Amino acid sequence: MTDCIFCKIIAGEIPAEIVYNGTHVTAFRDINPVAPVHILIIPNQHIDHIRDPRAFEGELLKEMVQTANEIAAMEGIAESGYRLLINYGPDANLVVPHLHLHLIGGKFLGPMVAV
Ligand code: 5GP
Ligand code: ZN
């Protein structure tokens, strides 16, 4: 999609530290990490957000979560643990309108907080 930051990352038009590049899913490090490991897993096809019906076609969401689990193992945090997070809407502060799954870990994250 034109003017989508994440589509431009997939197209190689904006640099990013890509950790996985598959047929349906790409993963790259968040530019503003909140923990030692903060990776975004996104569909290669532009899908607006988690309420977009296209997110539920085929095995996409399953593949995104499986990819997150595999990257967590590659990053060495499969045993220590991690958080998988999808924001939606203004109250969750969704900023980038291209579906993405946050993989966050590498330190004790504490309880979920809404500040
Ligand atoms: P959201 O709040 O939409 O769920 O999270 C969007 C995430 O994308 C944020 O954590 C933000 O730091 C990250 N982000 C925004 N722009 C870029 C970018 O150009 N490159 C990378 N690697 N991450 C980005
Ligand atoms: Zn996009």
Side-chain angles (χ1 to χ4, degrees), residues 30-49:
D30 196 293
I31 203 167
N32 189 19
V34 298
V37 176
H38 188 171
I39 290 166
L40 303 173
I41 296 97
I42 72 172
N44 293 345
Q45 174 200 5
H46 181 90
I47 292 174
D48 291 330
H49 48 64

Side-chain angles (χ1 to χ4, degrees), residues 4 7 46 98:
C4 170
C7 280
H46 181 90
H98 179 130

